[in-house]
Amino acid sequence: MKLASLDSIQNAHEDSLWTATWVRSDSDKPALLLTGGLDETVRLWDPTKLTCLHTNTGHCLGVVSVTAHPNQRIAASASIDSFIRVFEVDTNNTIATLEAPPSEVWQLQFSPDGSTLAAAGGGSSSVKLWDTTQWQLVATLSIPRQGGSQPSEKSGTKKFVLSVAWNPDGRLLACGSVDGTISVFDVARAKFLHFLEGHCMPVRSLVFSPSLHDSRILFSASDDGHVHVYDAEGKTLLTSLSGHASWVLSVDVSPDGAAIATGSSDKTVKLWDLKMRAATQTLTNHTDQVWSVAFGPPSRIDVRSCILASVSDDKSISLYQYS
């Protein structure tokens, strides 16, 4: 497996790019890329033509997360203005505007079946869940104080939540905090299960293996420079990967489940072979820290092939062929 650089889009936004996600392809159109950044916009790209199809406004501060619904028709963006904007991908029409007081909103992710939107709740020490039919808040998953069963009450013990991820069957939800801990919840019972420990600095990105066979496997990226691989259900740290020279800001797993990609403040993107448990490639397309990496859907011709996108503070998008 390898990454081959395809192209880069320079000055893709007017300021730093912080987030990227793919809108899956269907019979009518190819996969599209959504990006968000400090310029308060979300942009929709045709990666085959390197053209911007829409520039979506509506936030009044930087966009920190964007996620696409499994139906390919709608997406949601979160900003440090504390609002979530749900919109139609093709038209940019706003469907709903969600607020999760009293805290800002960080990473977003739709559940695998598309029925629920999860949002990392920053200083609220929780993950908020909205249903995607009426856009009503249906649950707040609060992180308990370590060593106790009740959610933390004193500000000094609260866990600022940055990242969130669903496992592929939607049973488990994990969130990463500034203190380096990862909390795992049983979603159906809205019950906290346990902490995953091992990181000592903020956990900015999480992703589960896409395989139902490996649905317990969770990958985490942290400011401590490490990527961890956990059995999220068995509460086990399986391995720790190191190689970046600075914070690891983003991690994503390939559709075939054989590799992960990471982006770092050391300005590089790395490809890791999970069987070898080692980085096999380091790409230096960016000139500033890489905030997000995102694998696209697999090619219809070759299911092991897809496109990886990375975005950076240097305002650029880089595209790579994974095969």
Side-chain angles (χ1 to χ4, degrees), residues 12-18 37-40 312-316:
H13 283 242
E14 294 176 9
D15 211 325
S16 300
L17 276 82
W18 285 345
L38 185 56
D39 62 0
E40 305 170 8
S312 166
D313 269 343
D314 66 12
K315 308 179 190 177
S316 77

Side-chain angles (χ1 to χ4, degrees), residues 27 143 195 208 213 245 284 306 313-314:
S27 57
I143 301 174
F195 290 110
F208 277 92
H213 176 70
T284 57
C306 68
D313 269 343
D314 66 12

Side-chain angles (χ1 to χ4, degrees), residues 188-239:
R189 294 187 292 162
K191 181 183 178 182
F192 171 81
L193 296 179
H194 48 250
F195 290 110
L196 301 175
E197 299 180 339
H199 288 298
C200 60
M201 293 178 72
V203 177
R204 295 187 185 271
S205 184
L206 295 169
V207 65
F208 277 92
S209 169
S211 167
L212 289 173
H213 176 70
D214 293 325
S215 64
R216 299 156 56 116
I217 304 302
L218 177 70
F219 305 96
S220 59
S222 171
D223 286 7
D224 61 17
H226 297 283
V227 177
H228 284 176
V229 185
Y230 293 95
D231 177 340
E233 207 160 4
K235 200 180 174 180
T236 307
L237 175 60
L238 301 177
T239 191

Side-chain angles (χ1 to χ4, degrees), residues 13 22 46 64 84 89 105 110-111 122 145 154 186 197 216 270 280 293 299 301 320 322:
H13 283 242
W22 288 88
D46 180 342
V64 292
I84 297 169
V89 172
V105 179
F110 284 105
S111 60
R145 192 171 51 245
K154 296 179 181 178
D186 178 318
E197 299 180 339
R216 299 156 56 116
K270 287 184 182 288
T280 57
V293 290
S299 163
I301 301 170
Y320 319 83
Y322 169 78

Side-chain angles (χ1 to χ4, degrees), residues 107-112 116-121 126-130 139-143 161 163-176 182-188 190-194 196 206 208 215 218 232-233:
Q107 197 173 47
L108 302 172
Q109 193 174 63
F110 284 105
S111 60
T116 310
L117 176 65
S126 67
V127 175
K128 308 284 188 181
L129 302 181
W130 280 269
T140 298
L141 306 178
S142 297
I143 301 174
V161 186
S163 51
V164 67
W166 298 84
N167 85 320
D169 61 17
R171 292 184 306 110
L172 301 177
L173 188 143
C175 64
I182 298 166
S183 305
V184 181
F185 294 89
D186 178 318
V187 179
K191 181 183 178 182
F192 171 81
L193 296 179
H194 48 250
L196 301 175
L206 295 169
F208 277 92
S215 64
L218 177 70
E233 207 160 4

